């Protein structure tokens, strides 16, 4: 009978624009691991809440949407997609409207419990030897026992500059204001600005993308080599 070995879990947290998605995806690709973007689920739920014209401030109404929230995500780093039912929302969940609504949805306790269980199940069932899971509370809540736990940080200025280079439909000032207010709202729910015990900080402020990927892979290799000797 085939033995099911649990994948090596790499947990990466950090604020918006620190490089979590791009670095996690690239690291997963190079290591032959799966990649799980947890923010996409909060965004897809926010998209659904907006689509159904549910009041984002009404926690009970938001929690009720979970009952028939039919969500799927690609965990192959080369085949990323996000679906709600049959609808491909990969692009739509990055809209300014969804970004503005997501923090209110993410602070509902039933939402966090439901999605945490979903992430744990998705991570445990990937068909790769490992999985890189990124978000805000992966090192502390979703996978506190992960073999590798990293906090990816960058100065506020660097994060704002990176995000405004990506979003060309809004002014740099608007992008920065929205990012700052999302960080503020999110940090009332989860502490992703300081590293919990046993979590390695990688500060990407003065690193380019390639250097950050290398730094993260170095931490993964060091940690997994150490774990195999324990
Ligand atoms: N170390 C880095 N140096 C320069 N640009 C970076 C770096 N890390 C990420 N980026 C770029 O910054 C943008 C935001 O990164 P992203 O991975 O979306 O961050 P997050 O998932 O943390 O919000 C992307 O365009 C990405 O290519
Ligand atoms: N593990 C996670 C991941 C995301 N989130 C929420 O989901 C939103 C979108 O996450 P994201 O990772 O796509 O955001 P960016 O940092 O990429 O802009 C965040 O602003 C949080 O409100 C969360 O609460 N917990």
């Amino acid at each position: 009978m085939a033995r099911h070995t649990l994948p090596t879990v790499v947990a990466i947290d950090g604020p918006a624009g620190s490089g979590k998605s791009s670095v996690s995806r690239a690291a997963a690709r190079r290591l032959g691991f799966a990649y799980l973007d947890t923010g996409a689920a909060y965004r897809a739920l926010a998209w659904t809440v907006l689509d159904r014209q549910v009041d984002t401030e009404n926690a009970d109404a938001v929690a009720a949407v979970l009952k028939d929230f039919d969500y799927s995500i690609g965990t192959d780093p080369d085949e990323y997609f996000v679906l709600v039912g049959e609808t491909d929302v990969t692009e739509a969940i990055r809209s300014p409207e969804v970004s503005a609504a997501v923090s209110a949805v993410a602070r509902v306790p039933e939402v966090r419990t439901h999605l945490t269980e979903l992430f744990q199940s998705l991570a445990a069932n990937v068909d790769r030897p490992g999985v890189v899971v990124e978000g805000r509370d992966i090192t502390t809540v979703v996978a506190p026992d992960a073999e590798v736990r990293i906090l990816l940080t960058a100065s506020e200025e660097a994060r704002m500059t990176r995000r405004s280079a990506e979003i060309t439909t809004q002014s740099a000032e608007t992008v920065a204001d929205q990012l700052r207010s999302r960080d503020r709202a999110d940090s009332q729910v989860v502490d992703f600005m300081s590293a919990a015990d046993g979590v390695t900080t990688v500060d990407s402020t003065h690193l380019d993308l390639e250097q950050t990927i290398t730094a993260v892979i170095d931490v993964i290799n060091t940690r997994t080599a150490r774990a195999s000797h324990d």
Side-chain angles (χ1 to χ4, degrees):
M1 204 173 78
R3 194 165 63 93
H4 180 69
T5 344
L6 286 174
T8 298
V9 177
V10 177
I12 303 188
D13 287 328
S18 60
K20 296 179 305 294
S21 319
S22 25
V23 172
S24 301
R25 197 191 301 201
R29 194 177 281 137
R30 291 183 201 182
L31 294 164
F33 283 11
Y35 159 62
L36 179 59
D37 168 4
T38 63
Y42 288 96
R43 286 176 176 275
L45 184 64
W47 178 88
T48 308
V49 164
L50 294 176
D51 189 56
R52 295 189 193 172
Q53 299 182 344
V54 169
D55 176 7
T56 52
E57 297 303 320
N58 181 341
D60 290 340
V62 168
V65 173
L66 288 168
K67 272 201 296 288
D68 56 354
F69 178 52
D70 177 14
Y71 175 75
S72 47
I73 185 164
T75 57
D76 177 337
D78 291 312
E79 265 179 67
Y80 180 80
F81 62 85
V82 181
L83 296 179
V84 173
E86 305 272 292
T87 310
D88 189 321
V89 295
T90 313
E91 302 293 329
I93 60 170
R94 308 284 153 198
S95 71
E97 292 75 19
V98 169
S99 296
V102 68
S103 300
V105 166
R107 70 166 170 251
V108 176
E110 291 91 333
V111 166
R112 302 206 72 81
T113 308
H114 183 97
L115 293 186
T116 294
E117 285 169 9
L118 174 72
F119 302 145
Q120 289 167 338
S121 157
L122 287 169
N125 289 294
V126 296
D127 57 357
R128 306 270 180 123
V131 56
V132 183
V133 188
E134 55 99 352
R136 300 286 190 292
D137 61 346
I138 314 305
T139 62
T140 51
V141 178
V142 174
D145 299 325
E147 285 88 334
V148 187
R149 296 188 299 150
I150 295 172
L151 181 71
L152 187 58
T153 62
S155 70
E156 187 173 283
E157 196 193 348
R159 297 190 289 107
M160 307 291 154
T161 308
R162 288 173 193 169
R163 217 8 96 76
S164 59
E166 269 183 332
I167 303 175
T168 49
T169 51
Q170 291 174 298
S171 74
E173 228 168 75
T174 306
V175 171
D177 282 348
Q178 288 179 350
L179 212 64
R180 244 180 254 122
S181 76
R182 186 152 61 88
D183 273 351
R184 212 175 307 123
D186 288 341
S187 58
Q188 284 166 9
V189 180
V190 177
D191 179 12
F192 50 83
M193 297 303 267
S194 53
D197 268 1
V199 174
T200 306
T201 300
V202 174
D203 184 345
S204 73
T205 308
H206 303 293
L207 305 179
D208 65 19
L209 188 55
E210 184 55 37
Q211 290 169 323
T212 312
I213 296 165
T214 307
V216 163
I217 289 183
D218 282 350
V219 175
I220 298 172
N221 287 338
T222 308
R223 287 275 166 180
T224 48
R226 195 178 299 164
S228 69
H229 283 102
D230 284 347

